Amino acid sequence: MQRKEFIKRLGLSSLVAPFVAACGNENVDPIPVTDASSTGSGSCTVSPSETAGPFPTKSPSSLVMTDIRSDRTGIEMQIHITIQNKNNNCAALSDAIVDIWHCDKDGYYSEYGGTGMQSLNLQGVHFLRGRQSSDTNGLISFKSIFPGWYSGRAPHIHVHVYDATGKSLLVTQIAFPTDVCDTVYTTATQFYKKGKQDTSNAVDNVFSDSLANQMSTIAGNVADGYVLSHTIIVSA
């Protein structure tokens, strides 16, 4: 079964991953942070619940890190996610445990492969996956690369949010502005070889009904790298 068909059939199911003890933060390079509170839903509304997809992180407790690049190459991207609590007037939620994962520049996921859904076997590696706990401002930061794309999906990042006790609060996804993607995929061709994505946000089966609440803000350029900012609202 191809990834596109799997996603359509899976619908809005979510992954409940095993809980681990609260995690500490590592330092991230001092790239300026865009005000994440101005991104995301724009109101105190819980972010959309989405599928974890066919490639969720298998053992996230072993991937507590801020630099999730491993050996993957691509345009550098800092990821800044702010977690807010709808049940506290959308105040910052500290000590939330947050897992993220996304594909590499060629559209492949680590921890999977050797099947019809992903022919390249990458079961033995764990790139572009990480876990952090939010600080007092609800902020989690990662160093990564600008993801590529694969057929049937617009570029995206998967996010799973837990509270400090390990209770699953939300599985969601983050969308990318098309103009930024077009710039990266058509100018950074030393990394990205496939050209523009074949699926737009407007027709993507995850984002088509909730794009405004899942769209990130991205600043930067190909030469210097990018900074992605996004706010996710949960009920905690």
Side-chain angles (χ1 to χ4, degrees):
M1 187 185 300
Q2 297 299 314
R3 279 185 279 192
K4 183 176 179 181
E5 291 301 316
F6 178 91
I7 293 164
K8 286 182 178 179
R9 295 185 186 186
L10 194 58
L12 299 181
S13 63
S14 62
L15 170 75
V16 179
F19 164 66
V20 297
C23 316
N25 284 319
E26 302 172 23
N27 292 327
V28 182
D29 286 355
I31 294 180
V33 180
T34 302
D35 181 8
S37 64
S38 65
T39 67
S41 67
S43 62
C44 196
T45 302
V46 172
S47 298
S49 174
E50 303 290 4
T51 175
F55 305 117
T57 301
K58 293 180 178 180
S59 300
S61 63
S62 66
L63 298 173
V64 180
M65 62 185 74
T66 55
D67 188 341
I68 65 174
R69 293 172 298 172
S70 186
D71 65 343
R72 296 297 99 171
T73 58
I75 300 300
E76 185 173 313
M77 183 174 68
Q78 297 285 347
I79 300 170
H80 301 298
I81 300 171
T82 297
I83 308 299
Q84 296 178 347
N85 183 7
K86 176 178 171 57
N87 294 340
N88 189 23
N89 298 313
C90 277
L93 180 63
S94 61
D95 298 319
I97 300 169
V98 180
D99 297 329
I100 73 167
W101 64 98
H102 64 80
C103 69
D104 69 6
K105 63 182 178 63
D106 299 312
Y108 295 117
Y109 283 90
S110 62
E111 300 189 352
Y112 293 85
T115 69
M117 297 186 71
Q118 179 174 291
S119 58
L120 182 63
N121 192 335
L122 296 169
Q123 295 183 52
V125 291
H126 308 280
F127 58 75
L128 305 179
R129 299 176 183 273
R131 166 173 284 195
Q132 282 295 297
S133 293
S134 59
D135 64 16
T136 56
N137 296 312
L139 180 66
I140 305 98
S141 295
F142 296 92
K143 179 188 286 186
S144 189
I145 62 166
F146 200 99
W149 58 271
Y150 51 90
S151 185
R153 283 301 315 272
H156 59 280
I157 295 174
H158 293 270
V159 184
H160 194 159
V161 184
Y162 308 81
D163 69 11
T165 72
K167 176 184 176 182
S168 178
L169 299 177
L170 183 71
V171 179
T172 190
Q173 298 185 28
I174 300 173
F176 284 65
T178 300
D179 60 340
V180 178
C181 292
D182 287 350
T183 297
V184 172
Y185 299 150
T186 61
T187 63
T189 53
Q190 72 275 32
F191 300 119
Y192 305 90
K193 306 294 187 181
K194 299 191 296 184
K196 295 181 181 180
Q197 64 208 56
D198 72 354
T199 302
S200 68
N201 288 317
V203 301
D204 182 275
N205 73 311
V206 170
F207 297 134
S208 58
D209 62 347
S210 54
L211 182 59
N213 292 330
Q214 294 174 277
M215 179 57 68
S216 60
T217 296
I218 299 181
N221 55 65
V222 167
D224 300 323
Y226 288 93
V227 179
L228 178 150
S229 299
H230 187 62
T231 294
I232 294 174
I233 301 174
V234 300
S235 293

